[in-house]
Amino acid sequence: QVQLVESGGGLVQAGGSLRLSCAASGRTSGMVAMGWFRQPPGKEREVVATITWSAGSTTYADSVKGRFTISRDKFKNTLYLQMNSLKPEDTADYYCAVSKVPPLWNYWGQGTQVTVSA
């Protein structure tokens, strides 16, 4: 099992920036990809960005393309999400996840709340 501990959520004004972190521990060997997901109030969960653990290949949702950057530190087993030019529509609970057997997301973090005010 993999444990995921997130940090960096909070309240920010529109146009501002936040950096989310997700530290993985436990059975971290065999991680193929990590990703960030979010669930806005009253909406379904959606994928925000993904990154392959080995090569660092990334994907982004259209809604965050050009504003968010996903990265990982393989030595620290830590995932990051740099969020710039934040909009009120980015308000959501953000979750990090680990995939050991794509396309399944096998492990999930506890979530961290991001609120963007106008």
Side-chain angles (χ1 to χ4, degrees):
Q1 43 279 313
V2 177
Q3 291 80 47
L4 303 172
V5 180
E6 303 176 5
S7 61
L11 175 66
V12 66
Q13 287 185 294
S17 299
L18 280 176
R19 191 194 198 203
L20 305 183
S21 300
C22 178
S25 61
R27 309 290 297 186
T28 57
S29 62
M31 294 193 302
V32 176
M34 294 189 74
W36 288 99
F37 299 77
R38 69 184 182 186
Q39 186 164 23
K43 229 268 184 182
E44 61 187 303
R45 186 185 66 192
E46 63 184 356
V47 61
V48 176
T50 67
I51 186 168
T52 61
W53 196 248
S54 181
S57 302
T58 60
T59 70
Y60 294 93
D62 289 339
S63 58
V64 307
K65 218 177 271 184
R67 299 188 298 120
F68 291 10
T69 302
I70 189 171
S71 62
R72 89 287 192 228
D73 187 330
K74 292 193 287 185
F75 296 101
K76 295 181 177 181
N77 288 323
T78 301
L79 179 72
Y80 303 98
L81 184 67
Q82 179 66 48
M83 305 185 293
N84 298 325
S85 301
L86 282 162
K87 306 174 180 179
E89 310 93 86
D90 296 318
T91 295
D93 291 330
Y94 283 72
Y95 303 87
C96 65
V98 169
S99 177
K100 288 194 173 186
V101 187
L104 297 177
W105 294 98
N106 306 103
Y107 305 98
W108 294 82
Q110 77 286 354
T112 186
Q113 190 173 65
V114 172
T115 302
V116 184
S117 62

mmCIF file of all heavy atoms in Angstrom, residues 18-72:
data_model
loop_
_atom_site.group_PDB
_atom_site.id
_atom_site.type_symbol
_atom_site.label_atom_id
_atom_site.label_comp_id
_atom_site.label_asym_id
_atom_site.label_seq_id
_atom_site.Cartn_x
_atom_site.Cartn_y
_atom_site.Cartn_z
ATOM 1 N N LEU A 18 -0.858 28.977 -6.284
ATOM 2 C CA LEU A 18 -0.685 28.018 -5.205
ATOM 3 C C LEU A 18 0.152 26.868 -5.720
ATOM 4 O O LEU A 18 0.125 26.558 -6.917
ATOM 5 C CB LEU A 18 -2.021 27.474 -4.699
ATOM 6 C CG LEU A 18 -2.848 28.308 -3.727
ATOM 7 C CD1 LEU A 18 -4.171 27.603 -3.445
ATOM 8 C CD2 LEU A 18 -2.087 28.545 -2.427
ATOM 9 N N ARG A 19 0.885 26.234 -4.811
ATOM 10 C CA ARG A 19 1.645 25.044 -5.145
ATOM 11 C C ARG A 19 1.235 23.914 -4.210
ATOM 12 O O ARG A 19 1.442 24.001 -2.996
ATOM 13 C CB ARG A 19 3.143 25.284 -5.024
ATOM 14 C CG ARG A 19 3.989 24.154 -5.616
ATOM 15 C CD ARG A 19 5.434 24.261 -5.172
ATOM 16 N NE ARG A 19 6.326 23.491 -6.024
ATOM 17 C CZ ARG A 19 7.525 23.050 -5.647
ATOM 18 N NH1 ARG A 19 7.980 23.323 -4.438
ATOM 19 N NH2 ARG A 19 8.272 22.353 -6.491
ATOM 20 N N LEU A 20 0.655 22.868 -4.771
ATOM 21 C CA LEU A 20 0.265 21.697 -4.011
ATOM 22 C C LEU A 20 1.380 20.667 -4.025
ATOM 23 O O LEU A 20 2.079 20.500 -5.027
ATOM 24 C CB LEU A 20 -1.008 21.071 -4.584
ATOM 25 C CG LEU A 20 -2.234 21.984 -4.728
ATOM 26 C CD1 LEU A 20 -3.420 21.172 -5.244
ATOM 27 C CD2 LEU A 20 -2.572 22.658 -3.410
ATOM 28 N N SER A 21 1.542 19.970 -2.903
ATOM 29 C CA SER A 21 2.510 18.898 -2.786
ATOM 30 C C SER A 21 1.806 17.630 -2.334
ATOM 31 O O SER A 21 0.822 17.683 -1.601
ATOM 32 C CB SER A 21 3.618 19.256 -1.788
ATOM 33 O OG SER A 21 4.310 20.415 -2.181
ATOM 34 N N CYS A 22 2.329 16.490 -2.753
ATOM 35 C CA CYS A 22 1.796 15.199 -2.362
ATOM 36 C C CYS A 22 2.964 14.248 -2.157
ATOM 37 O O CYS A 22 3.632 13.855 -3.117
ATOM 38 C CB CYS A 22 0.836 14.659 -3.426
ATOM 39 S SG CYS A 22 0.171 13.024 -3.066
ATOM 40 N N ALA A 23 3.216 13.884 -0.909
ATOM 41 C CA ALA A 23 4.322 13.009 -0.561
ATOM 42 C C ALA A 23 3.844 11.570 -0.466
ATOM 43 O O ALA A 23 2.898 11.276 0.272
ATOM 44 C CB ALA A 23 4.954 13.448 0.757
ATOM 45 N N ALA A 24 4.494 10.688 -1.195
ATOM 46 C CA ALA A 24 4.159 9.271 -1.195
ATOM 47 C C ALA A 24 5.099 8.507 -0.276
ATOM 48 O O ALA A 24 6.301 8.764 -0.240
ATOM 49 C CB ALA A 24 4.223 8.699 -2.612
ATOM 50 N N SER A 25 4.540 7.566 0.464
ATOM 51 C CA SER A 25 5.335 6.712 1.334
ATOM 52 C C SER A 25 4.752 5.306 1.332
ATOM 53 O O SER A 25 3.707 5.053 0.745
ATOM 54 C CB SER A 25 5.385 7.276 2.758
ATOM 55 O OG SER A 25 4.082 7.354 3.322
ATOM 56 N N GLY A 26 5.433 4.393 2.000
ATOM 57 C CA GLY A 26 5.012 3.007 2.014
ATOM 58 C C GLY A 26 5.626 2.242 0.858
ATOM 59 O O GLY A 26 6.807 2.381 0.564
ATOM 60 N N ARG A 27 4.808 1.455 0.189
ATOM 61 C CA ARG A 27 5.255 0.630 -0.926
ATOM 62 C C ARG A 27 5.267 1.463 -2.196
ATOM 63 O O ARG A 27 4.389 1.337 -3.049
ATOM 64 C CB ARG A 27 4.358 -0.593 -1.087
ATOM 65 C CG ARG A 27 4.140 -1.393 0.186
ATOM 66 C CD ARG A 27 5.392 -2.124 0.632
ATOM 67 N NE ARG A 27 5.828 -3.122 -0.337
ATOM 68 C CZ ARG A 27 6.820 -3.982 -0.148
ATOM 69 N NH1 ARG A 27 7.502 -3.960 0.992
ATOM 70 N NH2 ARG A 27 7.138 -4.853 -1.083
ATOM 71 N N THR A 28 6.264 2.312 -2.333
ATOM 72 C CA THR A 28 6.323 3.252 -3.447
ATOM 73 C C THR A 28 6.950 2.665 -4.712
ATOM 74 O O THR A 28 6.893 3.299 -5.769
ATOM 75 C CB THR A 28 7.091 4.514 -3.053
ATOM 76 O OG1 THR A 28 8.398 4.155 -2.606
ATOM 77 C CG2 THR A 28 6.352 5.263 -1.948
ATOM 78 N N SER A 29 7.550 1.498 -4.620
ATOM 79 C CA SER A 29 8.127 0.877 -5.804
ATOM 80 C C SER A 29 7.027 0.484 -6.777
ATOM 81 O O SER A 29 5.922 0.108 -6.373
ATOM 82 C CB SER A 29 8.966 -0.339 -5.430
ATOM 83 O OG SER A 29 8.167 -1.340 -4.810
ATOM 84 N N GLY A 30 7.331 0.578 -8.066
ATOM 85 C CA GLY A 30 6.379 0.192 -9.090
ATOM 86 C C GLY A 30 5.386 1.258 -9.492
ATOM 87 O O GLY A 30 4.440 0.964 -10.229
ATOM 88 N N MET A 31 5.570 2.493 -9.032
ATOM 89 C CA MET A 31 4.670 3.572 -9.441
ATOM 90 C C MET A 31 4.895 3.883 -10.915
ATOM 91 O O MET A 31 6.009 4.163 -11.340
ATOM 92 C CB MET A 31 4.897 4.818 -8.592
ATOM 93 C CG MET A 31 4.520 4.650 -7.129
ATOM 94 S SD MET A 31 4.452 6.224 -6.226
ATOM 95 C CE MET A 31 6.119 6.834 -6.466
ATOM 96 N N VAL A 32 3.813 3.829 -11.681
ATOM 97 C CA VAL A 32 3.879 4.103 -13.112
ATOM 98 C C VAL A 32 3.545 5.557 -13.399
ATOM 99 O O VAL A 32 4.185 6.194 -14.239
ATOM 100 C CB VAL A 32 2.944 3.172 -13.901
ATOM 101 C CG1 VAL A 32 2.928 3.526 -15.380
ATOM 102 C CG2 VAL A 32 3.385 1.724 -13.717
ATOM 103 N N ALA A 33 2.544 6.076 -12.708
ATOM 104 C CA ALA A 33 2.130 7.448 -12.936
ATOM 105 C C ALA A 33 1.526 8.022 -11.666
ATOM 106 O O ALA A 33 1.041 7.290 -10.802
ATOM 107 C CB ALA A 33 1.123 7.539 -14.085
ATOM 108 N N MET A 34 1.559 9.333 -11.573
ATOM 109 C CA MET A 34 0.845 10.044 -10.530
ATOM 110 C C MET A 34 -0.003 11.117 -11.187
ATOM 111 O O MET A 34 0.289 11.556 -12.304
ATOM 112 C CB MET A 34 1.795 10.655 -9.503
ATOM 113 C CG MET A 34 2.563 9.623 -8.695
ATOM 114 S SD MET A 34 3.489 10.342 -7.302
ATOM 115 C CE MET A 34 2.154 10.705 -6.152
ATOM 116 N N GLY A 35 -1.049 11.515 -10.496
ATOM 117 C CA GLY A 35 -1.946 12.492 -11.076
ATOM 118 C C GLY A 35 -2.646 13.334 -10.031
ATOM 119 O O GLY A 35 -2.691 12.987 -8.851
ATOM 120 N N TRP A 36 -3.167 14.445 -10.499
ATOM 121 C CA TRP A 36 -3.998 15.327 -9.689
ATOM 122 C C TRP A 36 -5.416 15.313 -10.239
ATOM 123 O O TRP A 36 -5.622 15.428 -11.456
ATOM 124 C CB TRP A 36 -3.469 16.757 -9.692
ATOM 125 C CG TRP A 36 -2.209 16.944 -8.903
ATOM 126 C CD1 TRP A 36 -0.941 16.994 -9.390
ATOM 127 C CD2 TRP A 36 -2.106 17.103 -7.490
ATOM 128 N NE1 TRP A 36 -0.041 17.184 -8.369
ATOM 129 C CE2 TRP A 36 -0.733 17.250 -7.192
ATOM 130 C CE3 TRP A 36 -3.034 17.142 -6.446
ATOM 131 C CZ2 TRP A 36 -0.268 17.433 -5.885
ATOM 132 C CZ3 TRP A 36 -2.575 17.318 -5.150
ATOM 133 C CH2 TRP A 36 -1.209 17.458 -4.883
ATOM 134 N N PHE A 37 -6.378 15.193 -9.341
ATOM 135 C CA PHE A 37 -7.792 15.230 -9.664
ATOM 136 C C PHE A 37 -8.452 16.298 -8.807
ATOM 137 O O PHE A 37 -7.923 16.682 -7.766
ATOM 138 C CB PHE A 37 -8.448 13.871 -9.416
ATOM 139 C CG PHE A 37 -7.879 12.761 -10.252
ATOM 140 C CD1 PHE A 37 -6.655 12.186 -9.940
ATOM 141 C CD2 PHE A 37 -8.571 12.283 -11.358
ATOM 142 C CE1 PHE A 37 -6.122 11.156 -10.702
ATOM 143 C CE2 PHE A 37 -8.058 11.248 -12.132
ATOM 144 C CZ PHE A 37 -6.834 10.697 -11.804
ATOM 145 N N ARG A 38 -9.601 16.771 -9.242
ATOM 146 C CA ARG A 38 -10.326 17.741 -8.438
ATOM 147 C C ARG A 38 -11.824 17.510 -8.559
ATOM 148 O O ARG A 38 -12.309 16.960 -9.549
ATOM 149 C CB ARG A 38 -9.978 19.173 -8.841
ATOM 150 C CG ARG A 38 -10.487 19.593 -10.220
ATOM 151 C CD ARG A 38 -9.989 20.995 -10.560
ATOM 152 N NE ARG A 38 -10.495 21.459 -11.841
ATOM 153 C CZ ARG A 38 -10.119 22.597 -12.407
ATOM 154 N NH1 ARG A 38 -9.233 23.394 -11.807
ATOM 155 N NH2 ARG A 38 -10.628 22.956 -13.586
ATOM 156 N N GLN A 39 -12.533 17.940 -7.533
ATOM 157 C CA GLN A 39 -13.981 17.853 -7.507
ATOM 158 C C GLN A 39 -14.538 19.188 -7.039
ATOM 159 O O GLN A 39 -14.497 19.499 -5.843
ATOM 160 C CB GLN A 39 -14.460 16.723 -6.604
ATOM 161 C CG GLN A 39 -15.955 16.498 -6.656
ATOM 162 C CD GLN A 39 -16.368 15.162 -6.066
ATOM 163 O OE1 GLN A 39 -15.635 14.589 -5.259
ATOM 164 N NE2 GLN A 39 -17.521 14.671 -6.464
ATOM 165 N N PRO A 40 -15.044 20.000 -7.971
ATOM 166 C CA PRO A 40 -15.668 21.272 -7.578
ATOM 167 C C PRO A 40 -16.959 21.024 -6.822
ATOM 168 O O PRO A 40 -17.557 19.941 -6.931
ATOM 169 C CB PRO A 40 -15.930 21.968 -8.917
ATOM 170 C CG PRO A 40 -15.082 21.242 -9.916
ATOM 171 C CD PRO A 40 -15.006 19.837 -9.423
ATOM 172 N N PRO A 41 -17.416 22.013 -6.062
ATOM 173 C CA PRO A 41 -18.683 21.847 -5.335
ATOM 174 C C PRO A 41 -19.826 21.522 -6.285
ATOM 175 O O PRO A 41 -20.030 22.211 -7.290
ATOM 176 C CB PRO A 41 -18.887 23.210 -4.668
ATOM 177 C CG PRO A 41 -17.524 23.809 -4.583
ATOM 178 C CD PRO A 41 -16.795 23.315 -5.803
ATOM 179 N N GLY A 42 -20.561 20.467 -5.977
ATOM 180 C CA GLY A 42 -21.706 20.076 -6.774
ATOM 181 C C GLY A 42 -21.377 19.525 -8.145
ATOM 182 O O GLY A 42 -22.275 19.403 -8.980
ATOM 183 N N LYS A 43 -20.129 19.185 -8.383
ATOM 184 C CA LYS A 43 -19.700 18.686 -9.686
ATOM 185 C C LYS A 43 -19.012 17.344 -9.531
ATOM 186 O O LYS A 43 -18.680 16.916 -8.428
ATOM 187 C CB LYS A 43 -18.773 19.706 -10.350
ATOM 188 C CG LYS A 43 -19.147 20.037 -11.790
ATOM 189 C CD LYS A 43 -18.415 19.126 -12.753
ATOM 190 C CE LYS A 43 -18.671 19.472 -14.202
ATOM 191 N NZ LYS A 43 -17.983 18.532 -15.115
ATOM 192 N N GLU A 44 -18.792 16.669 -10.641
ATOM 193 C CA GLU A 44 -18.127 15.376 -10.626
ATOM 194 C C GLU A 44 -16.617 15.546 -10.573
ATOM 195 O O GLU A 44 -16.066 16.592 -10.919
ATOM 196 C CB GLU A 44 -18.528 14.565 -11.861
ATOM 197 C CG GLU A 44 -18.139 15.224 -13.176
ATOM 198 C CD GLU A 44 -18.690 14.494 -14.378
ATOM 199 O OE1 GLU A 44 -18.404 13.287 -14.509
ATOM 200 O OE2 GLU A 44 -19.421 15.119 -15.165
ATOM 201 N N ARG A 45 -15.938 14.492 -10.140
ATOM 202 C CA ARG A 45 -14.489 14.492 -10.110
ATOM 203 C C ARG A 45 -13.928 14.474 -11.517
ATOM 204 O O ARG A 45 -14.456 13.801 -12.406
ATOM 205 C CB ARG A 45 -13.986 13.281 -9.321
ATOM 206 C CG ARG A 45 -12.485 13.257 -9.096
ATOM 207 C CD ARG A 45 -12.066 11.961 -8.410
ATOM 208 N NE ARG A 45 -12.288 10.813 -9.269
ATOM 209 C CZ ARG A 45 -12.241 9.550 -8.865
ATOM 210 N NH1 ARG A 45 -11.996 9.281 -7.590
ATOM 211 N NH2 ARG A 45 -12.451 8.564 -9.712
ATOM 212 N N GLU A 46 -12.854 15.214 -11.729
ATOM 213 C CA GLU A 46 -12.230 15.283 -13.038
ATOM 214 C C GLU A 46 -10.719 15.231 -12.909
ATOM 215 O O GLU A 46 -10.150 15.641 -11.895
ATOM 216 C CB GLU A 46 -12.644 16.563 -13.771
ATOM 217 C CG GLU A 46 -12.197 17.839 -13.072
ATOM 218 C CD GLU A 46 -12.698 19.097 -13.750
ATOM 219 O OE1 GLU A 46 -13.340 18.984 -14.815
ATOM 220 O OE2 GLU A 46 -12.455 20.196 -13.217
ATOM 221 N N VAL A 47 -10.073 14.734 -13.940
ATOM 222 C CA VAL A 47 -8.617 14.693 -13.957
ATOM 223 C C VAL A 47 -8.091 16.075 -14.307
ATOM 224 O O VAL A 47 -8.631 16.757 -15.184
ATOM 225 C CB VAL A 47 -8.093 13.627 -14.945
ATOM 226 C CG1 VAL A 47 -8.543 13.926 -16.362
ATOM 227 C CG2 VAL A 47 -6.587 13.516 -14.868
ATOM 228 N N VAL A 48 -7.068 16.492 -13.592
ATOM 229 C CA VAL A 48 -6.451 17.789 -13.815
ATOM 230 C C VAL A 48 -5.167 17.645 -14.627
ATOM 231 O O VAL A 48 -4.967 18.331 -15.627
ATOM 232 C CB VAL A 48 -6.152 18.507 -12.487
ATOM 233 C CG1 VAL A 48 -5.421 19.820 -12.724
ATOM 234 C CG2 VAL A 48 -7.445 18.739 -11.715
ATOM 235 N N ALA A 49 -4.284 16.763 -14.179
ATOM 236 C CA ALA A 49 -3.000 16.564 -14.832
ATOM 237 C C ALA A 49 -2.426 15.235 -14.398
ATOM 238 O O ALA A 49 -2.702 14.761 -13.292
ATOM 239 C CB ALA A 49 -2.021 17.697 -14.500
ATOM 240 N N THR A 50 -1.633 14.632 -15.254
ATOM 241 C CA THR A 50 -0.955 13.383 -14.936
ATOM 242 C C THR A 50 0.498 13.473 -15.374
ATOM 243 O O THR A 50 0.858 14.278 -16.240
ATOM 244 C CB THR A 50 -1.610 12.164 -15.615
ATOM 245 O OG1 THR A 50 -1.436 12.254 -17.034
ATOM 246 C CG2 THR A 50 -3.092 12.087 -15.280
ATOM 247 N N ILE A 51 1.326 12.608 -14.784
ATOM 248 C CA ILE A 51 2.728 12.550 -15.147
ATOM 249 C C ILE A 51 3.219 11.123 -14.976
ATOM 250 O O ILE A 51 2.905 10.468 -13.977
ATOM 251 C CB ILE A 51 3.571 13.543 -14.308
ATOM 252 C CG1 ILE A 51 5.019 13.588 -14.802
ATOM 253 C CG2 ILE A 51 3.503 13.198 -12.822
ATOM 254 C CD1 ILE A 51 5.821 14.746 -14.215
ATOM 255 N N THR A 52 3.954 10.621 -15.946
ATOM 256 C CA THR A 52 4.562 9.307 -15.786
ATOM 257 C C THR A 52 5.752 9.426 -14.858
ATOM 258 O O THR A 52 6.498 10.411 -14.892
ATOM 259 C CB THR A 52 4.994 8.714 -17.140
ATOM 260 O OG1 THR A 52 5.979 9.557 -17.756
ATOM 261 C CG2 THR A 52 3.799 8.564 -18.065
ATOM 262 N N TRP A 53 5.919 8.418 -13.999
ATOM 263 C CA TRP A 53 6.928 8.519 -12.961
ATOM 264 C C TRP A 53 8.338 8.445 -13.510
ATOM 265 O O TRP A 53 9.231 9.157 -13.051
ATOM 266 C CB TRP A 53 6.710 7.428 -11.914
ATOM 267 C CG TRP A 53 7.455 7.702 -10.655
ATOM 268 C CD1 TRP A 53 8.517 7.012 -10.155
ATOM 269 C CD2 TRP A 53 7.195 8.762 -9.730
ATOM 270 N NE1 TRP A 53 8.940 7.568 -8.986
ATOM 271 C CE2 TRP A 53 8.148 8.643 -8.692
ATOM 272 C CE3 TRP A 53 6.253 9.790 -9.677
ATOM 273 C CZ2 TRP A 53 8.180 9.525 -7.619
ATOM 274 C CZ3 TRP A 53 6.293 10.666 -8.608
ATOM 275 C CH2 TRP A 53 7.242 10.531 -7.592
ATOM 276 N N SER A 54 8.548 7.600 -14.494
ATOM 277 C CA SER A 54 9.889 7.385 -15.014
ATOM 278 C C SER A 54 10.342 8.497 -15.947
ATOM 279 O O SER A 54 11.377 9.132 -15.725
ATOM 280 C CB SER A 54 9.965 6.034 -15.731
ATOM 281 O OG SER A 54 11.272 5.797 -16.220
ATOM 282 N N ALA A 55 9.569 8.754 -16.995
ATOM 283 C CA ALA A 55 9.978 9.685 -18.039
ATOM 284 C C ALA A 55 9.505 11.109 -17.804
ATOM 285 O O ALA A 55 10.049 12.038 -18.402
ATOM 286 C CB ALA A 55 9.488 9.200 -19.401
ATOM 287 N N GLY A 56 8.490 11.295 -16.980
ATOM 288 C CA GLY A 56 7.970 12.631 -16.737
ATOM 289 C C GLY A 56 7.073 13.173 -17.828
ATOM 290 O O GLY A 56 6.930 14.395 -17.949
ATOM 291 N N SER A 57 6.461 12.304 -18.626
ATOM 292 C CA SER A 57 5.521 12.744 -19.652
ATOM 293 C C SER A 57 4.228 13.210 -19.005
ATOM 294 O O SER A 57 3.695 12.540 -18.117
ATOM 295 C CB SER A 57 5.234 11.613 -20.638
ATOM 296 O OG SER A 57 6.435 11.158 -21.243
ATOM 297 N N THR A 58 3.704 14.343 -19.460
ATOM 298 C CA THR A 58 2.564 14.983 -18.804
ATOM 299 C C THR A 58 1.349 15.063 -19.702
ATOM 300 O O THR A 58 1.453 15.078 -20.934
ATOM 301 C CB THR A 58 2.928 16.396 -18.346
ATOM 302 O OG1 THR A 58 3.306 17.181 -19.477
ATOM 303 C CG2 THR A 58 4.081 16.360 -17.352
ATOM 304 N N THR A 59 0.185 15.116 -19.065
ATOM 305 C CA THR A 59 -1.071 15.432 -19.719
ATOM 306 C C THR A 59 -1.809 16.442 -18.863
ATOM 307 O O THR A 59 -1.637 16.483 -17.645
ATOM 308 C CB THR A 59 -1.969 14.198 -19.939
ATOM 309 O OG1 THR A 59 -2.457 13.740 -18.664
ATOM 310 C CG2 THR A 59 -1.196 13.082 -20.621
ATOM 311 N N TYR A 60 -2.651 17.268 -19.516
ATOM 312 C CA TYR A 60 -3.405 18.295 -18.819
ATOM 313 C C TYR A 60 -4.830 18.356 -19.334
ATOM 314 O O TYR A 60 -5.089 18.152 -20.523
ATOM 315 C CB TYR A 60 -2.766 19.672 -18.999
ATOM 316 C CG TYR A 60 -1.411 19.812 -18.370
ATOM 317 C CD1 TYR A 60 -0.252 19.576 -19.105
ATOM 318 C CD2 TYR A 60 -1.281 20.190 -17.040
ATOM 319 C CE1 TYR A 60 0.992 19.704 -18.518
ATOM 320 C CE2 TYR A 60 -0.040 20.322 -16.451
ATOM 321 C CZ TYR A 60 1.095 20.074 -17.193
ATOM 322 O OH TYR A 60 2.332 20.205 -16.613
ATOM 323 N N ALA A 61 -5.748 18.660 -18.431
ATOM 324 C CA ALA A 61 -7.094 18.983 -18.847
ATOM 325 C C ALA A 61 -7.086 20.304 -19.605
ATOM 326 O O ALA A 61 -6.287 21.204 -19.311
ATOM 327 C CB ALA A 61 -8.016 19.079 -17.636
ATOM 328 N N ASP A 62 -7.973 20.419 -20.582
ATOM 329 C CA ASP A 62 -8.030 21.645 -21.373
ATOM 330 C C ASP A 62 -8.254 22.879 -20.499
ATOM 331 O O ASP A 62 -7.735 23.964 -20.797
ATOM 332 C CB ASP A 62 -9.135 21.547 -22.425
ATOM 333 C CG ASP A 62 -8.788 20.577 -23.542
ATOM 334 O OD1 ASP A 62 -7.598 20.282 -23.742
ATOM 335 O OD2 ASP A 62 -9.723 20.117 -24.233
ATOM 336 N N SER A 63 -9.004 22.722 -19.430
ATOM 337 C CA SER A 63 -9.364 23.851 -18.592
ATOM 338 C C SER A 63 -8.178 24.445 -17.832
ATOM 339 O O SER A 63 -8.259 25.584 -17.373
ATOM 340 C CB SER A 63 -10.457 23.448 -17.606
ATOM 341 O OG SER A 63 -10.031 22.368 -16.797
ATOM 342 N N VAL A 64 -7.095 23.686 -17.688
ATOM 343 C CA VAL A 64 -5.943 24.176 -16.925
ATOM 344 C C VAL A 64 -4.694 24.317 -17.771
ATOM 345 O O VAL A 64 -3.661 24.781 -17.267
ATOM 346 C CB VAL A 64 -5.642 23.269 -15.712
ATOM 347 C CG1 VAL A 64 -6.894 23.078 -14.869
ATOM 348 C CG2 VAL A 64 -5.082 21.920 -16.162
ATOM 349 N N LYS A 65 -4.775 23.949 -19.023
ATOM 350 C CA LYS A 65 -3.620 23.997 -19.904
ATOM 351 C C LYS A 65 -3.066 25.411 -19.989
ATOM 352 O O LYS A 65 -3.799 26.374 -20.200
ATOM 353 C CB LYS A 65 -4.004 23.482 -21.289
ATOM 354 C CG LYS A 65 -2.935 22.661 -21.972
ATOM 355 C CD LYS A 65 -3.420 22.127 -23.312
ATOM 356 C CE LYS A 65 -4.106 20.789 -23.179
ATOM 357 N NZ LYS A 65 -4.487 20.216 -24.485
ATOM 358 N N GLY A 66 -1.766 25.529 -19.815
ATOM 359 C CA GLY A 66 -1.112 26.822 -19.854
ATOM 360 C C GLY A 66 -1.078 27.546 -18.529
ATOM 361 O O GLY A 66 -0.375 28.556 -18.397
ATOM 362 N N ARG A 67 -1.825 27.049 -17.536
ATOM 363 C CA ARG A 67 -1.867 27.685 -16.226
ATOM 364 C C ARG A 67 -1.269 26.802 -15.137
ATOM 365 O O ARG A 67 -0.658 27.319 -14.203
ATOM 366 C CB ARG A 67 -3.306 28.047 -15.842
ATOM 367 C CG ARG A 67 -3.966 29.024 -16.804
ATOM 368 C CD ARG A 67 -5.315 29.494 -16.274
ATOM 369 N NE ARG A 67 -6.265 28.397 -16.124
ATOM 370 C CZ ARG A 67 -6.830 28.040 -14.979
ATOM 371 N NH1 ARG A 67 -6.539 28.709 -13.862
ATOM 372 N NH2 ARG A 67 -7.694 27.031 -14.944
ATOM 373 N N PHE A 68 -1.470 25.496 -15.242
ATOM 374 C CA PHE A 68 -0.996 24.552 -14.232
ATOM 375 C C PHE A 68 0.196 23.775 -14.770
ATOM 376 O O PHE A 68 0.288 23.495 -15.974
ATOM 377 C CB PHE A 68 -2.094 23.559 -13.848
ATOM 378 C CG PHE A 68 -3.248 24.141 -13.078
ATOM 379 C CD1 PHE A 68 -3.406 25.509 -12.918
ATOM 380 C CD2 PHE A 68 -4.188 23.297 -12.503
ATOM 381 C CE1 PHE A 68 -4.467 26.040 -12.216
ATOM 382 C CE2 PHE A 68 -5.253 23.810 -11.794
ATOM 383 C CZ PHE A 68 -5.401 25.183 -11.647
ATOM 384 N N THR A 69 1.096 23.386 -13.868
ATOM 385 C CA THR A 69 2.240 22.571 -14.221
ATOM 386 C C THR A 69 2.386 21.446 -13.206
ATOM 387 O O THR A 69 2.493 21.701 -12.003
ATOM 388 C CB THR A 69 3.535 23.384 -14.267
ATOM 389 O OG1 THR A 69 3.404 24.463 -15.201
ATOM 390 C CG2 THR A 69 4.699 22.494 -14.697
ATOM 391 N N ILE A 70 2.384 20.212 -13.685
ATOM 392 C CA ILE A 70 2.594 19.059 -12.826
ATOM 393 C C ILE A 70 4.057 18.642 -12.916
ATOM 394 O O ILE A 70 4.670 18.702 -13.986
ATOM 395 C CB ILE A 70 1.653 17.896 -13.206
ATOM 396 C CG1 ILE A 70 1.726 16.773 -12.167
ATOM 397 C CG2 ILE A 70 1.961 17.365 -14.604
ATOM 398 C CD1 ILE A 70 0.674 15.686 -12.365
ATOM 399 N N SER A 71 4.622 18.236 -11.797
ATOM 400 C CA SER A 71 5.999 17.772 -11.770
ATOM 401 C C SER A 71 6.169 16.767 -10.647
ATOM 402 O O SER A 71 5.292 16.626 -9.800
ATOM 403 C CB SER A 71 6.979 18.945 -11.605
ATOM 404 O OG SER A 71 6.768 19.620 -10.378
ATOM 405 N N ARG A 72 7.294 16.065 -10.649
ATOM 406 C CA ARG A 72 7.557 15.116 -9.584
ATOM 407 C C ARG A 72 9.041 15.103 -9.267
ATOM 408 O O ARG A 72 9.883 15.390 -10.123
ATOM 409 C CB ARG A 72 7.065 13.698 -9.935
ATOM 410 C CG ARG A 72 8.056 12.792 -10.665
ATOM 411 C CD ARG A 72 8.246 13.209 -12.086
ATOM 412 N NE ARG A 72 8.949 12.224 -12.896
ATOM 413 C CZ ARG A 72 9.966 12.525 -13.700
ATOM 414 N NH1 ARG A 72 10.375 13.785 -13.802
ATOM 415 N NH2 ARG A 72 10.534 11.569 -14.419
#
